[in-house]
Amino acid sequence: MPPSGKQLPVIVKPFALLRDPANTYSPSNDAAHREGNGMFGSSKYKVLMIVGDYSEDYEVMVPFQALDMVGIAVDAVCPGKCKGDTIRTAIHDFEGDQTYSEKPGHLFRLTAAFGLIEPDSYHGLYLAGGRACEYLRLDDKVLGLVRTFMNDDRPVAAICHGPQILAAAGVLAGRNLTAYPAVAPEIRAVGGTYVAVAPEDTVIDGNLATSPAWPGHPGLLRAFLRRIAPDAVN
């Protein structure tokens, strides 16, 4: 038994997630949902994705396209930018140095204006990783959005450096999560429990799903989708 009755985290290996329709959050209807291209036709579900200049390339492109593929409408936003503006992404890799290397990625076009966000219209929040998290966590509105989703127990996914934003928002006390290992001290400093797992693994604690790096996309996206749209994943 864990000490003091503390709940142990759920660590999920790829393709090991189970369907749990009871864990689905349903926000208010929003007529502004865009038409999805995936299995639902017209999208029933909407996700807010927060990104910024030098977000990690894979950690933006892969979840955005994967969620779109299953018919989830994704509003990708960045503070200070409008719909149609672009961010610059960066590609992180490990090439024998003591830390990751960083190379230019793609230009990613935003799909919504940060200043027009209506938090109640979204089923879930996705925090991409990469260096952008260093400055995104300084934005009071970003932190307010994170607190809203966490306090409402809506699904939240964060990958790699994404938990830096969660830590700055002060929402990790008593929570179990993982992240890029260099973020572990920040998690512990605000009362969270850092769980060391393999890069392809996902840690689930209630509404929060986290993974250390982009090899964890399959498990992280499945965990996120199980909470938002159980009918989207077998």
Side-chain angles (χ1 to χ4, degrees):
M1 291 292 292
S4 305
K6 186 175 181 180
Q7 184 176 0
L8 292 174
V10 178
I11 300 174
V12 180
K13 301 293 183 181
F15 310 112
L17 291 164
L18 300 175
R19 184 187 302 272
D20 188 358
N23 283 337
T24 303
Y25 178 84
S26 297
S28 59
N29 254 344
D30 179 7
H33 284 198
R34 69 179 176 84
E35 293 294 309
N37 297 319
M39 64 184 293
F40 298 117
S42 180
S43 179
K44 300 188 295 183
Y45 305 104
K46 192 175 181 183
V47 164
L48 181 65
M49 175 184 283
I50 298 179
V51 298
D53 283 321
Y54 300 102
S55 287
E56 209 285 326
D57 189 84
Y58 279 18
E59 292 167 6
V60 176
M61 303 288 190
V62 172
F64 181 85
Q65 293 178 338
L67 292 169
D68 184 64
M69 183 271 294
V70 296
I72 306 293
V74 182
D75 279 356
V77 299
C78 174
K81 300 199 179 195
C82 298
K83 179 178 180 179
D85 290 347
T86 59
I87 60 164
R88 293 185 182 273
T89 68
I91 297 172
H92 290 174
D93 207 350
F94 291 88
E95 302 175 291
D97 304 307
Q98 290 185 334
T99 188
Y100 56 83
S101 63
E102 185 173 82
K103 298 178 176 66
H106 298 86
L107 290 178
F108 176 81
R109 194 169 301 280
L110 302 171
T111 57
F114 184 81
L116 300 179
I117 292 169
E118 297 181 2
D120 289 344
S121 69
Y122 296 98
H123 292 77
L125 173 67
Y126 199 100
L127 300 175
R131 183 155 52 91
C133 299
E134 295 175 356
Y135 79 87
L136 291 172
R137 61 182 169 172
L138 303 178
D139 189 287
D140 287 339
K141 187 169 182 182
V142 168
L143 301 183
L145 287 168
V146 169
R147 294 182 190 116
T148 295
F149 280 86
M150 291 295 286
N151 291 339
D152 288 350
D153 201 38
R154 277 184 266 178
V156 174
I159 191 165
C160 197
H161 288 78
Q164 287 185 312
I165 301 174
L166 296 171
V171 295
L172 294 182
R175 304 303 294 263
N176 301 287
L177 67 153
T178 192
Y180 183 67
V183 183
E186 297 177 49
I187 292 172
R188 295 182 180 122
V190 295
T193 298
Y194 170 74
V195 183
V197 297
E200 65 271 16
D201 290 347
T202 295
V203 173
I204 303 171
D205 183 350
N207 69 313
L208 179 62
T210 53
S211 189
W214 53 258
H217 277 142
L220 181 66
L221 287 165
R222 282 173 178 267
F224 191 52
L225 279 171
R226 295 295 188 207
R227 292 271 302 182
I228 293 173
D231 48 339
V233 186
N234 292 328

